[in-house]
Structures are given as C-alpha cells and as structure tokens.
C-alpha cells in the first residue's frame, strides 16, 4: 500500500547511505542542498546476516564474539552473538514460542563482497563446519535445526578516509534552511550533541535518533509555544584511571618518537 502524508510537523531521516541516496534522488528539493547531495554520494559496504538454530546448547566464554583472520572469511570481518545467552531465562521467543532445543546464533559478515555471491547453504556450511568450530570446538557436535540468511549489498556505513565532511549532520541543512528535517544513524555528525559511543554503530545510531527527536521536538515546541519533555541521553561512563594514565604516557612518548606507520 502506498500513499502520501501531508499533515506532519517534521521528519527524521533515519537512513543509511543507500536509503539516503534513494530519497535524495527522488527529491529535487533535497538534492539542491549540498548537505544532502554530498550525503547521497557516500557508499556503503556489503553485509551478510545469518541466524542459526542448533539442536544443542553450546557454552561460550562470552555471548559476543569476533571472527578475524580466518581464510574462510575471504577478507570479510565477522561476529557471532549467542542470542540465547543474551536473552536470559526463557528463550522460547527465539524459537517462535516452541520448546527451545539449543543455542540460537546471530552471525554477521562485514565487508562481505567476496561472500555475497555464495549460495545460502554454503554460507551456513562455512559457519557450522569451519568458522564456529575453529572459534569454539564444541560447535562441531551441533547440528543446524533451522537457518536464515540475508544479503545486503552496500547498505552499511563505510567510514572511509576523507568521508567525514560528506556525512549528514544531525541538524540536516540547519535550522535556518530546513528546520523540520533532521538526520539519524551511526554515520551522522552530531555536532554539539556528540556522544561518547563514536565507534559503536548500533549504540550511536540509537543515541542519534533520540537526539534528532529532541532537536525536532524542541524546535516544534518553541514554534508552537509548548514545552516538550527532552528524552535524557545517558553519557558513556568515564575511562578508568589506568587507561587514562596509559593514554597520557603514550602521548608524551610519541612527542619524541617518529611515527612508524
């Protein structure tokens, strides 16, 4: 179903690079603004997302894990999350309300161009026969009860060198140009609202969405003479003392040593 909504006070463009490209291409008014035309020129990386339901529970040291430098990755990076461990307690929701049989995994590949053309069953085989048993040997005894694979070409933010100036600001084109359009996502420049979760894509996307809504509702409230409650954003906790000390020592040492990379 398609339609047009006209009675709106503002909008938050919670888009990635490909979504921004599609919206700006279809909107001449946005394309005329350099902020949006530059954002629409940004490219993303290929991602594959897989879910695995196993016939037994596999214990792991941590619920969040990383694949790195395995030949089977073909140049990609990878993660796997033990959803049953993260869920805690009753995990029947992960099994569609049925009785759980074992572990449920979320596995993701980033920069996955070399894997994108593989059939889904081959990706599941690589995970279950090569990558997972290499990381945790107990996976070799587990069988796949069900699986799902999604492939997404060029959709995830690519923070390439020199791209910062083309990333969309949270305030969009600015309150003096287009005050009722804001931007959200892990790739937005947050300006004065910048948050400590700079390297954490999901967390930063979440925070930017709240800050974009705060900015938009604040402007609408001032225009209409109403007071809207600002949604609080929790800051990232401060670095531990020993880490701060290490950074300070390193900074002092690097003043006298030439960079070798």
């Amino acid at each position: 179903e398609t339609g047009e909504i006209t009675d709106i006070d503002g909008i938050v463009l919670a888009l990635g690079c490909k979504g921004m490209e599609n919206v700006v291409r279809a909107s001449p008014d946005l394309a005329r603004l350099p902020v949006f035309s530059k954002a629409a020129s940004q490219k993303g990386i290929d991602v594959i997302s897989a879910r695995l339901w196993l016939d037994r529970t596999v214990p792991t040291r941590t619920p969040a894990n990383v694949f790195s430098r395995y030949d089977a990755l073909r140049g990609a990076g990878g993660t796997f999350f033990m959803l049953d461990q993260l869920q805690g307690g009753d995990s029947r929701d992960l099994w569609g309300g049925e009785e759980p049989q074992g572990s449920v995994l979320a596995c993701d590949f980033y920069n996955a161009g070399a894997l994108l053309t593989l059939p889904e069953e081959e990706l599941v085989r690589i995970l279950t026969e090569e990558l997972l048993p290499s990381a945790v040997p107990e996976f070799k005894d587990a069988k796949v009860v069900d699986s799902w694979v999604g492939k997404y070409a060029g959709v995830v933010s690519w923070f390439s060198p020199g791209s910062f100036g083309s990333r969309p600001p949270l305030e969009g084109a600015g309150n003096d140009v287009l005050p009722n359009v804001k931007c959200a996502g892990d790739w937005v420049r947050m300006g004065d609202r910048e948050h400590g979760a700079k390297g954490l894509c999901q967390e930063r996307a979440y925070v930017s969405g709240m800050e974009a809504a705060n900015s938009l509702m604040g402007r609408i409230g001032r225009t209409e003479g109403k007071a809207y409650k600002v949604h609080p954003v929790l800051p990232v906790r401060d670095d531990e003392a020993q880490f701060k000390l290490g950074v300070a020592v390193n900074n002092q040492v690097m003043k006298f040593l030439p960079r070798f990379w």
Side-chain angles (χ1 to χ4, degrees), residues 221-238:
R222 290 189 296 273
T223 301
E224 299 180 354
K226 299 178 181 179
Y228 288 96
K229 182 180 178 181
V230 174
H231 196 294
V233 176
L234 299 178
V236 173
R237 67 183 183 185
D238 204 13

Side-chain angles (χ1 to χ4, degrees), residues 9-114:
D9 296 312
I11 186 171
V12 175
L13 296 176
L15 302 169
C17 52
K18 181 164 281 190
M20 182 67 79
E21 179 184 1
N22 291 336
V23 168
V24 174
R25 183 186 295 120
S27 174
D29 290 334
L30 285 181
R32 291 189 185 98
L33 299 173
V35 162
F36 292 105
S37 63
K38 288 195 293 185
S41 72
Q42 296 300 290
K43 303 303 179 185
I45 61 173
D46 302 327
V47 173
I48 297 173
S49 183
R51 301 293 180 268
L52 302 176
W53 288 262
L54 304 182
D55 67 343
R56 65 188 63 196
T57 300
V58 179
T60 59
R61 187 171 60 86
T62 60
N65 306 273
V66 175
F67 292 126
S68 178
R69 305 175 106 178
Y70 290 109
D71 291 338
L73 290 170
R74 305 190 187 189
T79 59
F80 69 95
F81 295 87
M82 307 299 295
L83 298 184
D84 52 307
Q85 295 181 26
L86 293 170
Q87 181 96 346
D90 190 352
S91 59
R92 273 180 288 193
D93 286 344
L94 296 172
W95 290 84
E98 299 179 0
E99 189 66 25
Q101 299 184 42
S103 294
V104 181
L105 287 76
C107 307
D108 300 308
F109 300 103
Y110 299 91
N111 192 34

Side-chain angles (χ1 to χ4, degrees), residues 223-258:
T223 301
E224 299 180 354
K226 299 178 181 179
Y228 288 96
K229 182 180 178 181
V230 174
H231 196 294
V233 176
L234 299 178
V236 173
R237 67 183 183 185
D238 204 13
D239 290 328
E240 296 178 351
Q242 63 270 26
F243 180 82
K244 288 183 175 179
L245 177 61
V247 171
V249 171
N250 180 72
N251 289 339
Q252 292 301 316
V253 171
M254 293 309 296
K255 290 181 180 179
F256 303 99
L257 293 179

